[in-house]
Amino acid sequence: MSKPQTELTDRLAGMVGSANVTANPALRLDGLVPALRVAPASTAEVADCLRLCSEMNLAVVPAGRGTWLECGNPLRRADVVLSLERMNRIIDYSPPDLTITVEAGMRLRGFNETIRGDRLWLPLDPPGASIASIGAIIACNSSGALRCGYGTPRDYLIGLSLAHADGSQSKSGGRVVKNVAGYDLNKLYVGSYGTLAVITEATFKLRPLPEHHVTIALTAKKTQPLTAIARQVQAAELQPAAFVLTSMAFEELFGPNQGAETLLLRFADNEATVTYQVEWLGRACADEYAWTEVSGDDEAALWNKVCDFDNQWQCAVRFSVPLSATTAAYEYLLSEGDCRVTADLGSGIVRAAGNGKDDLTIGLIHRYRAAAEKLGGTLFIEKAALIVRQQTCAWSAVGAHGRLMRAIKEKFDPQGILNPGRFVAGI
Ligand SMILES: Cc1cc2nc3c(=O)[nH]c(=O)nc-3n(C[C@H](O)[C@H](O)[C@H](O)COP(=O)(O)OP(=O)(O)OC[C@H]3O[C@@H](n4cnc5c(N)ncnc54)[C@H](O)[C@@H]3O)c2cc1C
């Protein structure tokens, strides 16, 4: 170990305890090898670690559970991985007020299991939901199929505690649903991919668990395509909690002869409202589609599969298009060749996963991006081999907004030590 590295290890160990500092943590991020991993246990300790890294001009990678650390553009530098895995406590919980404050390293799943007893939940189902940490979900504004009925993390966040690159601490928002007027600074950190500050605590407003929920899975029987019934649902006054058209084959759930494409509608509300919507759908489908009703554990397992549909694939991209272009984007992606596609017909998010890490994949991503823009949308690379990410850009161009975003980064992190290079416009 070099002299500066020994000094860094010793000083970090003095702050968080030597058991929580790992030298040479056998971790590669975008081809870089971080020298240290440190796991502080409070906002103050996070701030102390950042102050030291700033003094020594070391690049810091904030981490929750570390399952998606290579998201976005390749890092330019990565010296210290700052893990929040020890910060997983509930700080304040008030069921009558429907609010909760938790540390950012807490897992979404554990969190929802804890509050389920009070019939409350945070209705988010991002990819990797079984392990994802709350801080990372906010940092990436990650959402899944429930976005159709319930929105994204930014819709539930009412307050944050933060540790900044220079070692200072701040709070934004508050702990009550009805916050004061003024700039809603919370929103600045949502989707900032760990480039502005480290999120250490978050306060959310919660929702009551729906009284009743069921998923209807439709597969085509005859010539009528699933897009036909999907368009009818879009035009109707139904309010599905999730509304997904997927090219995934659910043989194990629906039998081998049910066709490869499935339309999934999840209804969640009081029993009468759910029943009304299911009956409406039944009448609209007549006998044109095969109908499977899924509930209980099977329903949860089904949606986990949809959420993590890209697990076995090397490359995944996300189109964000206007609602009216969702089925066109879905059909376009399938026409481009061997990939799996999932379209959220309630939010305009279309995700595709395939294999490849060569020039063909790079060319394909450029074509995808042109197609997304032609449909009035954007393309984001959710995961791809380093070589692919080095020769493309994870986000579509941000144009003139880039200047404003760089100016904000300059204010929050003038040395550029937080996830350098990860975000748009070289941020
Ligand atoms: C297999 C898989 C596929 C995924 N695919 C997608 C996807 O397609 N789209 C999508 O939106 N999400 C995706 N995710 C991410 C997921 O939805 C969650 O955001 C992620 O799982 C969070 O888990 P984590 O704690 O391991 O995050 P980590 O891997 O620890 O961190 C993810 C990012 O958030 C930053 N970060 C983490 N914690 C903080 C913090 N406290 N403060 C500031 N920055 C922080 C990190 O620097 C990193 O950039 C995927 C996750 C997995 C496991």
Side-chain angles (χ1 to χ4, degrees):
M1 206 187 296
S2 65
K3 198 166 165 251
Q5 198 176 328
T6 310
E7 184 198 336
L8 175 67
T9 311
D10 290 347
R11 288 180 68 185
L12 287 173
M15 292 168 182
V16 303
S18 54
N20 302 307
V21 183
T22 314
N24 306 315
L27 192 66
R28 276 184 93 84
L29 293 177
D30 300 336
L32 305 168
V33 184
L36 282 176
R37 182 176 177 280
V38 58
S42 67
T43 302
E45 285 187 6
V46 174
D48 288 345
C49 295
L50 287 173
R51 187 175 306 108
L52 179 61
C53 291
S54 157
E55 260 173 42
M56 299 181 81
N57 195 24
L58 298 172
V60 177
V61 179
R65 298 289 157 169
T67 59
W68 208 47
L69 283 180
E70 292 193 332
C71 59
N73 293 320
L75 290 169
R76 285 193 293 268
R77 294 192 295 142
D79 300 311
V80 175
V81 173
L82 193 152
S83 166
L84 278 82
E85 69 179 3
R86 292 174 67 217
M87 295 183 59
N88 52 18
R89 291 171 308 150
I90 292 179
I91 306 286
D92 187 30
Y93 174 37
S94 174
D97 295 327
L98 305 179
T99 58
I100 191 164
T101 302
V102 295
E103 288 183 326
M106 187 162 197
R107 292 183 190 201
L108 173 69
R109 178 145 300 170
F111 167 92
N112 268 333
E113 277 163 9
T114 307
I115 61 177
R116 170 176 288 273
D118 296 311
R119 297 213 47 79
L120 295 173
W121 68 327
L122 186 60
L124 302 172
D125 60 346
S130 54
I131 23 182
S133 68
I134 298 280
I137 291 172
I138 298 168
C140 304
N141 199 25
S142 300
S143 59
L146 286 175
R147 177 181 179 142
C148 168
Y150 293 99
T152 63
R154 75 195 306 278
D155 299 309
Y156 293 91
L157 189 68
I158 52 178
L160 282 178
S161 293
L162 301 140
H164 296 275
D166 62 358
S168 59
Q169 299 173 41
S170 75
K171 285 183 189 289
S172 63
R175 288 195 180 178
V176 289
V177 171
K178 195 170 188 299
N179 266 324
V180 289
Y183 292 116
D184 193 359
L185 270 184
N186 280 328
K187 304 293 192 277
L188 190 61
Y189 304 99
V190 179
S192 63
Y193 284 80
T195 59
L196 293 183
V198 178
I199 298 163
T200 56
E201 290 174 19
T203 302
F204 294 101
K205 57 185 171 190
L206 302 170
R207 292 282 295 254
L209 271 174
E211 194 182 286
H212 193 67
H213 52 92
V214 66
T215 294
I216 308 299
L218 300 176
T219 48
K221 265 208 281 191
K222 299 178 194 160
T223 50
Q224 193 76 312
L226 282 172
T227 44
I229 183 70
R231 287 199 179 95
Q232 270 192 68
V233 173
Q234 276 177 322
E237 284 179 351
L238 301 196
Q239 291 188 324
F243 181 19
V244 165
L245 177 60
T246 175
S247 68
M248 280 176 86
F250 288 113
E251 288 98 349
E252 61 273 42
L253 271 173
F254 303 122
N257 301 319
Q258 298 291 323
E261 214 175 38
T262 314
L263 182 68
L264 297 165
L265 284 122
R266 184 178 193 182
F267 298 106
D269 211 311
N270 61 51
E271 193 161 358
T273 309
V274 170
T275 305
Y276 169 82
Q277 299 190 80
V278 171
E279 285 176 1
W280 185 98
L281 188 63
R283 284 193 298 278
C285 286
D287 64 349
E288 297 283 347
Y289 303 94
W291 171 289
T292 311
E293 218 163 297
V294 195
S295 57
D297 290 347
D298 290 346
E299 190 185 16
L302 167 66
W303 286 106
N304 280 343
K305 280 190 189 176
V306 174
C307 220
D308 292 333
F309 87 116
D310 60 327
N311 267 359
Q312 309 303 325
W313 302 77
Q314 290 169 330
C315 185
V317 297
R318 176 169 80 207
F319 277 45
S320 303
V321 295
L323 274 188
S324 55
T326 319
T327 45
Y330 174 84
E331 280 159 357
Y332 161 74
L333 282 161
L334 284 178
S335 76
E336 272 285 3
D338 188 19
C339 67
R340 193 171 249 208
V341 186
T342 287
D344 183 335
L345 302 177
S347 71
I349 302 291
V350 187
R351 302 174 67 212
N355 279 331
K357 46 183 179 180
D358 50 14
D359 287 349
L360 284 177
T361 312
I362 294 167
L364 185 64
I365 286 181
H366 287 308
R367 280 210 302 286
Y368 279 174
R369 178 154 281 146
E373 286 166 8
K374 205 165 156 200
L375 290 168
T378 55
L379 174 107
F380 172 61
I381 302 173
E382 295 191 320
K383 73 173 174 193
L386 180 58
I387 180 127
V388 174
R389 289 184 298 120
Q390 279 168 334
Q391 295 189 40
T392 53
C393 183
W395 284 270
S396 289
V398 289
H401 301 301
R403 261 180 49 210
L404 179 64
M405 293 165 86
R406 275 193 296 270
I408 293 172
K409 170 76 173 173
E410 180 66 23
K411 283 274 177 224
F412 280 74
D413 178 19
Q415 282 172 270
I417 63 162
L418 290 173
N419 272 348
R422 178 59 86 212
F423 202 29
V424 294
I427 291 170

